[in-house]
Structures are given as C-alpha cells and as structure tokens.
Amino acid sequence: MAPLLTLLLLFFFHTPTTSSSSSSPNTTTTTTTTTSSATTANLSSFASICERSLSSAASAVADLSSLLAYASANPALFYHECDIYGTIDFIFGNAAVLFQGCSIIARKPIPGQSSVVTTQSRDDPSEDTGISIQNCSIIASDDLRSSNVSTRTYLGRPWRPYSRTVNIESYIDSLVDPAGWTEWPGNHCQDTLYYREYMNSGPGSGVGARVTWHGYHVMGYNDATNFSVSNFIYGDEWLDSTSFPYDDDIPQLRYIIYTKKSAKTN
C-alpha cells in the first residue's frame, strides 16, 4: 500500500492516543506524550501532525506505515525511548524528526515481501527536513527472528526525490540486508537523495557492501553534527524548557594508526 493511500486511511480510521496540535506559523506549540500505546490493524497507528512535538516511552504498533512524521511550519519532532514496530515503510512523512534511544522493531511481513524501516518524502533540497536516528536499536521482532522464511530488511527507501535519512551511533542487527537501502519501484532518485551512516554498531552495520548510489555516503563528524538535537531540530530552544531528557553529543570518530613499534591515535 502506498504511503499516500495509507495517510488517507489514517484520517478515517486512526483513533488518536497521543495529543497533537496545529497552530499558525507565528506561534510555537509543543506537544508532549509521556506514555502511549496505539494499535490499528494494518493501518497507520501513530501520528505527529503539528509544529513541535516530543514523545517518550510511547509505542506505535502496526504493519504498514506505523508512524507518520509530518509537520506544518517550523517542523520539529522528537521521540525518546519509544518502541516502533512495523513492516513496510513504518516511519514515513516529511518533518525534521529525531529518534533517540528508541527500539525500531521490524515485524514479519507477508511471504515474499521485504521490510523497510523508513521512507522520507522531502520534495525540495532547501527543506530542512529529514529523519535522524541516533542511539537507537534496529532489531527483529520475535516472530521475524523465529521465522524460517528469509526476509530482506532495509534501512529505508526514497518516497520523494530528495529523501533524507541518517543513522548515527545506532545498533543495527543482522536482519538488515548488507546493501542497507533499497529503491522505490520506478523511482530513479539515487543521485538526489541523502542517505548517511555514522559510527553504527552491530552485525548489520557493516558498510562494505552498501549501495553505491551517488546520494549515499558514510559521513564524517562535521556532517554528523548537523543532525544533533540542537542543530537539526533546534532542541536547545524548546526542549530545555520542558525538562525533557536528551543527548546533544555526537562523538568524534577516532582513527587508530598501527605501526610496528607503537600505536598512534588521531
């Protein structure tokens, strides 16, 4: 099911369990969700449609398009220590959204289907939107882990030409395909998308066999800092007033150079 169709279904069938709000571009709205669980069979189950939103200890459970991240003016969404389950494109939309300390859990799809974690829909390179996944765990659900059927799981695919998603310091389990990323059917935007990885760990984090698209790279420290809480969603301007916990640190990658007589660290 295409995300656009899923989005339409969301407005007809979604039963809100989180508080969200919209306001004029000249006002600032912060919406807080502390504990929430949302389930809707095979439909989008969790939506953030507002200017600024933060969620903690929430769960979004569905198969298709579990979490819609969309914002109007000054988009800034923050998810902290949430559990997000899904199969196809289960984090989707177009906002500046940052996930920190979350468990992103791929479920078992129908036979013959792949699992895709993100599909971001940035239409214009001037938009300050994207998905930043930091210090999260990308793992398999129990039903996927115990399945005898081989399932390909990918970090993301581009819904729009300038799709932007980064994975920073996250644990990526062996469920993720070595290629890491996959195409949208009939979509040829591999040169214009922005997909990056930085200092991830786990058996699925190896970048040696990743896609060779022009728009994909393993990024360095300076680029990674652009996707921190303060730089990407300007969290220091609005999260501090909520006493909401967040980590604004992006560690610098350190290279170790070995010689015959000594080891030097740069």
Side-chain angles (χ1 to χ4, degrees):
M1 182 183 298
L4 179 57
L5 177 57
T6 306
L7 174 57
L8 294 175
L9 288 171
L10 179 145
F11 287 107
F12 283 101
F13 295 101
H14 174 62
T15 302
T17 58
T18 66
S19 58
S20 62
S21 60
S22 298
S23 59
S24 68
N26 296 322
T27 62
T28 299
T29 300
T30 300
T31 300
T32 305
T33 300
T34 53
T35 56
S36 171
S37 178
T39 57
T40 303
N42 298 319
L43 297 174
S44 298
S45 65
F46 193 104
S48 287
I49 307 174
C50 52
E51 285 189 8
R52 289 178 175 175
S53 174
L54 55 91
S55 299
S56 177
S59 293
V61 183
D63 287 327
L64 299 174
S65 305
S66 305
L67 191 151
L68 166 63
Y70 177 79
S72 52
N74 304 316
L77 310 177
F78 183 57
Y79 294 88
H80 181 262
E81 295 185 355
C82 297
D83 295 334
I84 304 159
Y85 294 78
T87 56
I88 305 298
D89 306 326
F90 55 100
I91 299 174
F92 72 109
N94 190 30
V97 55
L98 195 149
F99 297 87
Q100 198 168 84
C102 295
S103 293
I104 299 172
I105 305 163
R107 303 175 74 185
K108 180 183 176 182
I110 62 175
Q113 197 173 60
S114 297
S115 181
V116 184
V117 175
T118 67
T119 181
Q120 205 277 334
S121 56
R122 192 171 64 140
D123 274 315
D124 191 300
S126 65
E127 291 181 282
D128 294 328
T129 55
I131 298 171
S132 178
I133 297 174
Q134 297 180 20
N135 291 300
C136 294
S137 295
I138 300 174
I139 57 178
S141 63
D142 290 340
D143 63 341
L144 178 58
R145 189 182 300 110
S146 61
S147 173
N148 293 324
V149 178
S150 177
T151 300
R152 292 181 180 271
T153 300
Y154 299 95
L155 298 173
R157 60 177 179 168
W159 183 10
R160 291 290 187 268
Y162 295 94
S163 177
R164 181 162 66 169
T165 300
V166 301
N167 286 272
I168 297 172
E169 278 196 294
S170 291
Y171 176 83
I172 303 175
D173 211 346
S174 58
L175 77 159
V176 172
D177 189 87
W181 310 82
T182 189
E183 301 175 357
W184 187 275
N187 190 323
H188 304 287
C189 55
Q190 292 90 341
D191 290 345
T192 56
L193 57 79
Y194 187 101
Y195 286 167
R196 300 289 190 271
E197 296 181 57
Y198 180 76
M199 288 188 67
N200 296 306
S201 62
S205 66
V207 296
R210 287 294 197 252
V211 293
T212 57
W213 304 339
H214 180 73
Y216 167 78
H217 294 285
V218 176
M219 62 182 169
Y221 171 74
N222 290 335
D223 287 336
T225 58
N226 292 327
F227 297 94
S228 67
V229 171
S230 60
N231 290 335
F232 189 51
I233 60 171
Y234 306 104
D236 55 332
E237 297 179 4
W238 58 285
L239 285 175
D240 288 347
S241 64
T242 67
S243 300
F244 201 78
Y246 67 89
D247 183 0
D248 202 32
D249 181 54
I250 301 290
Q252 189 163 359
L253 184 63
R254 296 174 65 84
Y255 297 93
I256 299 177
I257 303 174
Y258 290 97
T259 64
K260 290 183 178 180
K261 295 183 178 180
S262 63
K264 298 180 180 179
T265 302
N266 289 343

